[in-house]
Amino acid sequence: MELYELTALELGACLRRGEVSQEEVCAAARARIAAAQPENNAFLTLAEEIPPAPDLTASPLAGVPMAYKDNLCTRGVRTTCASKILGNFVPPYDAGAVERLSAAGAVPMGKLNMDEFAMGSTSETSFYGPVKNPWDLTRAPGGSSGGAAAAVAAGEIWYAIGSDTGGSIRQPAACCGVTGMKPTYGAVSRYGLIAYASSLDQIGPIARSAADCAAVLDVIRGRDRRDGTSLEAPAGSLLAGLTGDVRGLRIGLPAGCFGDGLDPASRRAVQGAAEVLRARGARVEACELPLADYAVPAYYIIACAEASSNLSRFDGVKYGRRAEHCRDLGELYCKTRTEGFGAEVKRRILLGTFVLSAGYYDAYYKKALQVKALIKDAFDRAFRQFDLLLTPVTPAAPPRLGESLGDPLRMYLSDVYTVPVNLAGLPALSMPCGFDGQGLPIGAQLIGPALGDAAVLNAAHAFQLETGYHKKRPKGGTAP
Amino acid sequence: MKITEEMVDYVAALSRLALPEEEKADMAARLEQIVSYMDVLNTLDTGGVEPMSHVFPLKNVLREDRVIPSQARAELLAGAPEPDEAAFLVPRTVE
Amino acid sequence: MTWETVIGLETHVELATKTKIFCGCTTEFGGAPNTHCCPVCTGMPGALPVLNERVLEFAVKTGLALHGTVTRRCKFDRKNYFYPDLPKAYQISQLYLPIVRDGALEIPLAGGGTKAIRIRELHMEEDAGKLVHDPWIDQTRCDYNRCGVPLIEIVTEPDFRTAEEVIAYLEKLKSTLQYLGVSDCKMQEGSLRCDVNLSVRPAGSAELGARTEMKNLNSFKAVSRAIAYEARRQIELIEEGKRVVQETRRWDENKDATFSMRSKENAQDYRYFPDPDLPPLELSEAYLERLREQIPEMADEKAARYQARLGLPAYDAQMLTGQKALAGFFEAAVALGAPPKQAANWIMGEVLRRLSADGLEAKDMTLTPGALARLIALVQEGRINRNTAVRVFDAIFADGGDVDAYVAAHGLEQVSDAGLVEAAVERVLAANPKSVADYRAGKEKAFGFLVGQAMRELKGQAAPQAVHRALGAALKQP
C-alpha cells in the first residue's frame, strides 16, 4: 500500500511506530504535489522549507502533511484569498486554527487555491486560475474550498483546513469524493480567517474519513479569547467518541430535499446511505423542513451585505496591491478596488451594498434576518423529533469548467442544500456515498443540532465502517 | 424590482468600484435578475419576527482592560504598498 | 425681527481606559506613529474585535449619572464609509440600540436657577486615526495610534438657546465625567470634542429652521465663537432673503469662521447593520446595581454637603467642587484636621494661584493634603506666621518635602519666648525715643512703626500678637 492511500490517522500511527520517517512522508507529499499541481492547480503557494520534525506525541496527527485554504492567515507565508488585490500579502500573525495545528505537530505543505474571497461554488473565480477536479479534469471541484478538496482527493496531502460560509467545505468534499465537516458556528476560532460573511463563516477539516475530521477538530475547536463568537468546546474528544453505534438514532430525511431539482443518481445514492444507517440500527424517517426554498435568497442577502462591509478594508492603503498613477484618494480607492477584485466579488459587493443602502435595508436585509430566524426555528422543530437530518449536498454532479460562470444565479441555486445549515449555525458533514453514471463522486450531508458535532461525526463514522466510498481514489494521471 | 443603471452607479460609488460604461447595462441586468429572485422573500409573512443578527446563544463576551504589547511597527508596515518608516502614506487628504 | 438660536450638541468623550475598545493596545496619548497598534486596530484581514469590559462599565455609569435609561439588550453596528483614518472602512458604533437613552443634565443659568438639558442618547464607538499632511512629499501620513480608542458620544436634544448654556453644559458634563473617573476630558488632547448643531428661527416660532453641523471644535472658546459666528451668518442669510443650507461646516480657529465641507461628505449613506463579530450585550439588574453603587458623590451633592456640614459659604463650596481633584484634596486636608474654612481659603487662594501660575491641573499637583494641613496647624499654633507659611507653601509646592523639616532647616519657627520678645522691644524703644514720644503724644501711627522695628529685630519670626502685647505693655510703663 502506498503512503498516500492511508488516512491521516493511519499515517500518524505509522510515524509514531517508526515504520516510516518524517523525511519519507514529506518527500512522498512533495512528489505527489509536484505531479498533481500542473493538472489540478490545487496549490497557490508551496511551503519553501519543511519545518523541523514535530513532536510526534503532540497529537495523533503530528507529522502528517497537510495544507491550509489560502484565506487562513499564516505568519510569514503569503496569503492571497486567491485575489489580485491582496498581492503578496504576508500576514504578521497566524490564524487561531493555524496556531493550534502548529502546536499539534501539523506539517503544512502550502496554501490552497479557492474561489476569490471564498465567493463561488466551483473554485473557478480564483485570480490564479481555476482548480480542476481530480476525478475529471474538465470539471470543477466544487467550491469554494476546491483546492483543499482536490489536493486531499489527489493524495497530495492527508487533510486540509477549509472554510464554509454557504457550503464551501461540504460541496467540494462531495464533488471530490472526500469527507468534509463544517462544525457548529463558533466551534473553531475565526481569528485570522479572512472574512467573507462573518456571521456564517466557519473553519473546518477536509479529509479522507470522518475519523480524520474528528481528529482535526479535536485540535482546532475551542474558545479563542481573540474571537468573541468562539465557543468553549464540550468536554471529551470527538475522536474517542466515535463508537460507530447508531442504534436508535433518529434520522430525518426532509422530503423537500429529494424533489425534482435533484439528479436521480444523487437521490439513489443519498437514499442508499440512509439504508446503510438503517441497517446499522438507526430509525430513518421522512420529515418536513419547511422554508428551505427561502434559504438561498436570505443567504445571499446576508452574505453579500456582510461581504460588502468586510471587503471594504481592501483599499490599497495598508496592505496588498495599490493601483498605480492615482492622482487623488478617490481615484486610489476606485482604481485599486476595480482592478483588484474579480467579477463575482464585485457583483456580490454591489449586491450587498444595495441591500444595505438607504431605502432598501428593511425590504431586503432586515427581511433576510427575519427569514433566518424562521429557518432556525424550522430546524429547531425538526430536531425535537430527530437527532440528525440526512440530505444531498449538491443537486447534481460538478459542472464542467466555465459552464456556470456565465450564470451566477444558477450557481447560487446549487447551494440550496448547504446554505440553510449556515444560516442556522449548525454542524454538518459531507461524506462520499456513491458515484453517478460518469463515475463522479456523490456526497451525502448529515446535519446535527447546534453543538451536535459529535453525533454528526459518529453517524458518518458508522457509515464509513460499513462502506468503502471514502477510500476510493480518482484514477486520473496523479500516479507518482 | 427594477435595477436601473443609475442605481448601479449609486452602489458602485458607495462601494468605490468603477464599472466601465459598457458593463453597466449588463451588471444592472444581472443584479435585477438576482434581486428579483430575492423578492421571493416578500411572499413570506414575517410580521412580528425579530430579525436575527446573531444565531448563537453567546452574549456579554468581554475582555479585561489589560494592556497587551502592540505589534512591531515594522511588521505592520511591511505589507503596505506605500509606507515610510513610520506611517502608511496616501495622496493628500488633509491640508 | 428678533431671532432665537436653537442648538443641539454631540459630544465625543475619550474614555480613560488602559486599553483600546476592541484590542489590548494602550490608549496612552502620543507615542511615535503606529506604535500603539496591532492587527485588530489597523484592520488587518481576519483580525476580530472583542469588547473591553471597562468601556461598557464607563458608558453605563455615565448613563446612570445622566439619569438615562440603560438599554438592557444592546448591540454594536457597523457604520460604513471610506476614509484613510478608518482602516477597516467601517466604524464600530451603535445606531439601532444605543447603550443609553433619555437622560438629562441640569445646568445653572447665568441669571440664577437651572435648566434641564435633555440627552437623547449615549452610545459607545471607536475613535479614528490621525492624518497628517507632509507638504514636502505632498502625501498624507496615516497614524493609527488613536484608532480604537474608546469613545462615548453623548447627543442632546436641541435644548440650548445661547452659547452660555452650551458652555455651562460642557462644564457640567466635564465635571460629571471627571467625578465618575471615566475620562480626563482634556480638550487640548482631543479627549473631549464636540459638534454643534445650530439653527435660527424667529423668536416665538415653534418650527425649527434648517440646521448646520459644525465640527472640529476643540475648546470652549472655539465653541462660543463658532456659535456666535454661525448664528450671525444664518440670520444674515435669512435677512438677505437667502436660504440656510443643511450641511456640515468646519470651524477654522485661525480664520474665526465656519466653512462648508465638500458636499460629498454631506450626502452619506452609511449602511449601518449589526456587527456580526460582536455578540449582543444583555445587562442584568444586578450588573446595573453594582455600577450604580460605584457612582461617587457628584459636584452638586458635595457642594451642598460642604455648606450644610462644614459651614462653607456657597461660593467656596462651588469653587472647591468645580474640579474633582480639588474637592478630593480639600476633603483629605479636612480629614487630617485642617479647619474647613481655613483649608478652603488656602486652596482657593494659594493653591489655585500656584496651579494657574504653573499651568497645572489640580490632579497633577504633587503637594499633599497632609502638607497643607500641617502648614495650617503650624500657623494656628502660632509657630509660624502667615507670611512665613506662604513662603513654606511655595517651596513645598514646587519641590515637595516635609513642612516641619523645612521650617526647622530654614530657622523659620516663630520666637515664642516672651523674654526674647521683651528684650527686643526694649532695644527698639531705646533706639527710637522720638517714635515713643510721638505715640505717647497720641500719634497712633507710631505704634505700627515700632511693631515693624520689633519684628525686624526678631527677623520676622515672632508672633505678631506677642510683639503687640509686649510693646503695649512696655509703652504703658512710664
Side-chain angles (χ1 to χ4, degrees):
Chain A
M1 199 180 208
E2 296 289 339
L3 285 179
Y4 72 85
E5 292 173 301
L6 301 174
T7 67
L9 284 166
E10 287 164 354
L11 182 65
C14 287
L15 277 160
R16 282 196 302 284
R17 290 195 299 263
E19 292 165 16
V20 62
S21 74
Q22 188 70 58
E23 292 69 33
E24 287 172 285
V25 167
C26 290
R30 272 198 297 270
R32 296 286 302 177
I33 293 169
Q37 177 65 15
E39 291 175 352
N40 64 23
N41 198 28
F43 278 84
L44 289 178
T45 304
L46 290 172
E48 280 165 18
E49 48 193 88
I50 301 304
D55 170 8
L56 291 178
T57 63
S59 78
L61 299 170
V64 177
M66 51 79 67
Y68 297 106
K69 185 176 181 180
D70 209 22
N71 58 353
L72 279 103
C73 286
T74 42
R75 187 180 176 99
V77 178
R78 184 176 82 135
T79 301
T80 69
C81 265
S83 181
K84 182 181 176 189
I85 204 161
L86 268 157
N88 289 315
F89 174 61
V90 176
Y93 48 94
D94 273 330
V98 173
E99 277 177 0
R100 285 179 189 237
L101 279 159
S102 300
V107 178
M109 304 303 293
K111 305 295 291 289
L112 297 160
N113 204 351
M114 55 187 280
D115 278 301
E116 184 183 1
F117 282 105
M119 295 178 183
S121 313
T122 60
S123 301
E124 293 173 285
T125 68
S126 167
F127 175 68
Y128 300 97
V131 183
K132 293 169 193 162
N133 193 322
W135 291 88
D136 177 349
L137 296 170
T138 68
R139 286 181 188 271
S144 68
S145 310
V152 172
E156 300 170 68
I157 45 174
W158 279 261
Y159 67 97
I161 302 299
S163 70
D164 188 316
T165 307
S168 281
I169 285 175
R170 291 159 288 158
Q171 289 182 31
C175 293
C176 294
V178 292
T179 307
M181 167 103 178
K182 178 204 105 67
T184 300
Y185 183 82
V188 181
S189 165
R190 292 185 294 114
Y191 189 85
L193 170 70
I194 301 181
Y196 160 20
S198 316
S199 73
L200 307 165
D201 293 344
Q202 189 54 206
I203 290 171
I206 292 180
R208 295 180 182 170
S209 68
D212 281 2
C213 286
V216 175
L217 270 176
D218 274 337
V219 172
I220 62 176
R221 72 185 180 142
R223 173 150 162 70
D224 178 347
R225 54 172 180 75
R226 295 164 302 179
D227 174 5
T229 64
S230 65
L231 301 168
E232 209 67 65
S237 150
L238 292 168
L239 182 59
L242 297 181
T243 59
D245 183 358
V246 291
R247 282 172 299 174
L249 194 76
R250 298 165 305 167
I251 299 177
L253 265 56
C257 295
F258 293 86
D260 291 342
L262 184 62
D263 171 65
S266 297
R267 182 182 299 120
R268 276 196 301 279
V270 178
Q271 283 170 344
E275 287 314 310
V276 170
L277 289 167
R278 193 201 302 274
R280 281 186 72 95
R283 284 160 38 198
V284 181
E285 282 171 47
C287 73
E288 290 305 312
L289 187 65
L291 303 173
D293 290 347
Y294 298 95
V296 171
Y299 167 82
Y300 275 94
I301 290 170
I302 294 168
C304 292
E306 291 181 19
S308 72
S309 173
N310 283 332
L311 269 60
S312 292
R313 67 184 64 196
F314 302 102
D315 59 5
V317 175
K318 296 134 317 205
Y319 36 74
R321 209 185 147 278
R322 171 184 287 193
E324 288 173 355
H325 313 302
C326 296
R327 284 161 305 182
D328 56 28
L329 183 70
E331 193 174 295
L332 183 151
Y333 282 155
C334 240
K335 270 180 85 174
T336 297
R337 291 168 58 80
T338 302
E339 292 172 12
F341 291 131
E344 182 60 26
V345 172
K346 281 182 208 165
R347 190 150 47 223
R348 294 195 194 192
I349 289 174
L350 292 176
L351 205 53
T353 303
F354 169 74
V355 299
L356 289 176
S357 65
Y360 299 102
Y361 181 92
D362 284 357
Y364 292 97
Y365 186 70
K366 187 176 158 205
K367 184 85 180 179
L369 291 186
Q370 289 173 316
V371 172
K372 176 182 173 185
L374 293 177
I375 287 170
K376 165 89 165 47
D377 217 47
F379 272 114
D380 286 347
R381 270 182 277 122
F383 284 120
R384 269 179 231 132
Q385 279 179 283
F386 296 95
D387 298 304
L388 297 174
L389 301 176
L390 180 68
T391 75
V393 182
T394 56
R400 293 200 179 276
L401 290 168
E403 204 174 66
S404 64
L405 281 179
D407 190 352
L409 185 56
R410 194 180 132 191
M411 180 170 75
Y412 299 172
L413 289 172
S414 71
D415 298 341
V416 62
Y417 302 119
T418 48
V419 295
V421 169
N422 297 77
L423 288 174
L426 306 176
L429 174 145
S430 165
M431 58 186 186
C433 66
F435 294 88
D436 72 2
Q438 300 165 91
L440 295 167
I442 294 169
Q445 174 174 240
L446 283 161
I447 307 169
L451 297 172
D453 304 62
V456 169
L457 284 161
N458 192 44
H461 181 64
F463 179 78
Q464 292 182 342
L465 287 176
E466 210 59 42
T467 58
Y469 301 114
H470 63 293
K471 291 182 181 154
K472 297 271 194 255
R473 291 280 158 261
K475 292 189 193 72
T478 41
Chain B
M1 172 89 212
K2 174 80 189 152
I3 303 283
T4 62
E5 281 189 40
E6 288 69 40
M7 289 163 82
V8 172
D9 282 341
Y10 177 71
V11 289
L14 280 177
S15 315
R16 301 296 187 275
L17 290 171
L19 295 182
E21 280 305 319
E22 64 273 18
E23 283 179 27
K24 279 183 191 164
D26 183 56
M27 182 61 87
R30 284 269 175 241
L31 292 182
E32 183 169 315
Q33 183 196 17
I34 296 165
V35 169
S36 302
Y37 167 62
M38 288 170 170
D39 285 334
V40 69
L41 296 186
N42 294 325
T43 62
L44 204 58
D45 180 12
T46 53
V49 178
E50 176 78 12
M52 182 182 266
S53 56
H54 298 79
V55 74
F56 46 94
L58 279 177
K59 58 188 180 193
N60 302 338
V61 180
L62 300 164
R63 179 178 61 76
E64 201 186 326
D65 185 26
R66 192 165 44 85
V67 175
I68 293 169
S70 291
Q71 187 112 20
R73 178 169 71 186
E75 287 187 325
L76 291 173
L77 293 173
E82 212 176 324
D84 63 6
E85 71 289 345
F88 304 88
L89 298 182
V90 291
R92 186 196 349 231
T93 304
V94 288
E95 293 301 319
Chain C
M1 175 159 354
T2 51
W3 296 91
E4 181 178 56
T5 310
V6 178
I7 306 164
L9 225 54
E10 290 165 20
T11 312
H12 288 89
V13 180
E14 275 187 1
L15 297 178
T17 54
K18 292 194 192 74
T19 65
K20 294 185 178 182
I21 182 168
F22 297 122
C23 66
C25 289
T26 178
T27 54
E28 215 171 285
F29 182 73
N34 295 303
T35 55
H36 299 167
C37 296
C38 74
V40 176
C41 54
T42 53
M44 288 270 195
L48 296 171
V50 183
L51 180 62
N52 180 344
E53 61 181 2
R54 189 59 57 82
V55 172
L56 179 63
E57 286 174 17
F58 282 4
V60 170
K61 271 192 198 177
T62 307
L64 292 173
L66 296 176
H67 315 290
T69 306
V70 176
T71 309
R72 301 281 292 272
R73 290 174 52 90
C74 106
K75 283 177 194 169
F76 283 95
D77 302 301
R78 292 186 184 177
K79 177 183 185 180
N80 296 285
Y81 65 96
F82 287 87
Y83 206 61
D85 66 0
L86 192 65
K88 297 189 298 299
Y90 59 82
Q91 180 194 32
I92 304 178
S93 179
Q94 296 189 292
L95 176 78
Y96 295 109
L97 294 166
I99 183 76
V100 177
R101 282 183 172 132
D102 301 327
L105 188 63
E106 203 158 87
I107 57 165
L109 293 176
T114 60
K115 174 174 179 176
I117 301 299
R118 291 170 300 157
I119 298 196
R120 185 184 301 164
E121 68 163 72
L122 176 158
H123 64 253
M124 300 176 274
E125 62 184 28
E126 55 181 341
D127 208 346
K130 201 171 82 182
L131 303 178
V132 181
H133 190 67
D134 183 341
W136 294 99
I137 54 172
D138 195 28
Q139 300 242 59
T140 295
R141 287 202 170 81
C142 310
D143 172 9
Y144 296 144
N145 281 352
R146 207 180 58 186
C147 269
V149 167
L151 296 177
I152 49 176
E153 181 176 343
I154 303 168
V155 184
T156 74
E157 297 290 349
D159 284 351
F160 304 98
R161 296 293 173 268
T162 65
E164 290 69 38
E165 289 178 6
V166 171
I167 300 301
Y169 167 86
L170 287 171
E171 299 271 17
K172 186 70 180 289
L173 183 65
K174 190 172 157 183
S175 151
T176 304
L177 297 167
Q178 284 175 336
Y179 271 87
L180 288 170
V182 303
S183 175
D184 51 20
C185 297
K186 288 185 179 165
M187 278 191 109
Q188 70 278 15
E189 289 180 10
S191 63
L192 184 77
R193 317 192 278 270
C194 59
D195 301 343
V196 173
N197 290 303
L198 187 148
S199 63
V200 297
R201 64 183 173 192
S205 163
E207 267 169 57
L208 288 173
R211 69 188 160 84
T212 57
E213 182 182 6
M214 286 177 286
K215 291 189 178 291
N216 196 27
L217 301 170
N218 295 322
S219 67
F220 287 3
K221 199 183 89 188
V223 171
S224 279
R225 294 165 72 131
I227 288 173
Y229 174 89
E230 183 61 17
R232 198 171 59 241
R233 189 188 71 87
Q234 290 190 12
I235 291 168
E236 279 169 13
L237 273 179
I238 298 171
E239 288 181 340
E240 285 165 18
K242 292 178 188 157
R243 203 170 58 84
V244 175
V245 181
Q246 180 154 339
E247 61 179 356
T248 300
R249 298 178 70 83
R250 190 172 52 85
W251 169 249
D252 189 321
E253 187 85 53
N254 301 317
K255 302 200 174 98
D256 213 9
T258 65
F259 293 93
S260 178
M261 288 170 72
R262 278 168 295 141
S263 58
K264 251 190 192 170
E265 292 175 34
N266 286 317
Q268 273 292 8
D269 184 345
Y270 291 121
R271 291 154 286 134
Y272 281 96
F273 72 102
D275 192 324
D277 290 329
L278 291 157
L281 299 168
E282 261 184 60
L283 309 182
S284 67
E285 187 49 52
Y287 177 81
L288 298 188
E289 198 42 50
R290 184 164 67 78
L291 293 182
R292 208 174 271 127
E293 279 165 13
Q294 288 175 18
I295 293 179
E297 187 184 31
M298 292 288 163
D300 290 350
E301 297 159 338
K302 258 193 207 304
R305 180 165 61 85
Y306 290 180
Q307 292 177 62
R309 300 265 185 83
L310 304 177
L312 291 191
Y315 176 80
D316 293 21
Q318 234 169 42
M319 284 285 281
L320 291 175
T321 53
Q323 288 184 63
K324 186 192 181 190
L326 220 50
F329 187 89
F330 166 75
E331 288 181 23
V334 170
L336 290 167
K341 179 58 185 158
Q342 293 204 35
N345 289 348
W346 271 91
I347 292 170
M348 296 186 324
E350 304 309 326
V351 172
L352 287 182
R353 171 180 62 81
R354 282 301 303 260
L355 286 176
S356 130
D358 297 4
L360 281 177
E361 298 239 11
K363 68 183 183 56
D364 299 327
M365 79 181 163
T366 52
L367 181 76
T368 64
L372 182 66
R374 185 69 191 136
L375 211 50
I376 292 172
L378 288 182
V379 174
Q380 276 203 308
E381 290 162 15
R383 291 174 57 189
I384 55 175
N385 63 30
R386 167 97 194 161
N387 289 342
T388 307
V390 172
R391 210 176 118 196
V392 176
F393 171 86
D394 275 327
I396 302 265
F397 189 95
D399 307 323
D402 181 70
V403 171
D404 289 289
Y406 187 90
V407 168
H410 294 80
L412 298 177
E413 190 150 357
Q414 296 191 122
V415 178
S416 47
D417 182 330
L420 283 177
V421 175
E422 282 161 23
V425 165
E426 267 171 42
R427 284 198 297 278
V428 167
L429 294 186
N432 295 285
K434 184 167 183 306
S435 296
V436 173
D438 285 352
Y439 176 75
R440 289 192 169 138
K443 289 190 180 164
E444 290 286 324
K445 260 169 99 182
F447 188 81
F449 171 76
L450 291 169
V451 168
Q453 291 301 305
M455 285 302 275
R456 214 162 106 185
E457 189 75 12
L458 289 157
K459 300 193 177 72
Q461 288 169 26
Q465 301 94 315
V467 174
H468 274 252
R469 213 166 30 241
L471 195 58
L475 287 169
K476 275 185 197 140
Q477 289 169 7

